[in-house]
Amino acid sequence: MTNYFNIPGLGNSGPDHWQTHFENSGNNFCRINQEEWDAPASKDWIEKIESTLSEYDLSTVILIGHSLGCTAIANWAKKYKKVIKGALLVAPSDLEAPRYNFPTVGFDRVPVDKINFKTIVVASSNDEWVSLERAQFFAAHWASEFINIGEAGHINAVSGFGEWPEGLEILKRLA
């Protein structure tokens, strides 16, 4: 059985967010809950990922990141160099963009090291937190498959992504 772990971005993912709907779609989906959602420290987030995954057979693990959660996954992959089944990286925020001025510690840059497991980056052509070009840049450096879903904002509940059956179909490519 595949074990799916959601890693939301800043502020967590609320009840109408696609990550929450994914979790409600099966008992093999869960969220890696962080201690601090609004002013996170990268070290804490990646250590929480590591401690959670230590209880699982990594060959069964798929991580599902949104926004800053994508950076947490990339940082975890860089630090631990472990191989999992894969990761879906949706709307990775561009931490180096002038507009990105949230109180985060250690989330200074998006790592651009190759990720040593299968990844898919899903991006939008009008995301306020990452340009399409930067999302493609991240995908190329991570060696990810890249999917542009068009004008979809930040691919969150605010932009209409509650239940997201297309996202579940994309996720199946990793399973």
Side-chain angles (χ1 to χ4, degrees):
M1 176 170 73
T2 301
N3 295 291
Y4 298 95
F5 295 91
N6 277 322
I7 302 168
L10 277 172
N12 203 346
S13 292
D16 296 327
H17 195 283
W18 60 265
Q19 283 185 312
T20 303
H21 287 282
F22 279 20
E23 287 169 31
N24 294 333
S25 73
N27 60 4
N28 57 332
F29 284 80
C30 70
R31 182 174 306 213
I32 295 181
N33 282 303
Q34 302 293 344
E35 296 283 326
E36 177 56 66
W37 288 108
D38 298 320
S42 177
K43 180 180 182 284
D44 295 342
W45 277 33
I46 64 176
E47 292 307 319
K48 183 69 173 190
I49 294 169
E50 177 62 16
S51 66
T52 300
L53 298 186
S54 69
E55 301 174 23
Y56 291 86
D57 173 357
L58 294 180
S59 70
T60 70
V61 168
I62 293 179
L63 300 176
I64 307 167
H66 179 255
S67 195
L68 190 64
C70 298
T71 304
I73 291 169
N75 281 329
W76 174 81
K78 179 179 178 178
K79 179 174 181 179
Y80 288 101
K81 308 228 184 295
K82 294 185 176 177
V83 177
I84 60 173
K85 196 168 193 174
L88 179 63
L89 306 167
V90 180
S93 292
D94 185 356
L95 309 182
E96 297 169 56
R99 184 159 196 254
Y100 199 91
N101 58 4
F102 296 100
T104 59
V105 176
F107 283 109
D108 305 321
R109 297 185 170 282
V110 176
V112 290
D113 305 83
K114 181 179 184 280
I115 295 176
N116 63 350
F117 47 84
K118 185 174 181 177
T119 56
I120 300 172
V121 171
V122 178
S124 161
S125 61
N126 66 336
D127 188 332
E128 65 183 312
W129 299 111
V130 65
S131 70
L132 190 59
E133 294 75 25
R134 284 290 281 176
Q136 289 171 316
F137 172 83
F138 298 145
H141 281 80
W142 294 336
S144 303
E145 178 183 346
F146 182 77
I147 300 172
N148 172 3
I149 63 170
E151 292 187 4
H154 193 47
I155 315 175
N156 57 11
V158 172
S159 56
F161 288 84
E163 289 186 30
W164 185 30
E166 299 86 359
L168 282 172
E169 287 302 311
I170 294 168
L171 186 60
K172 287 179 184 177
R173 297 183 191 186
L174 295 167

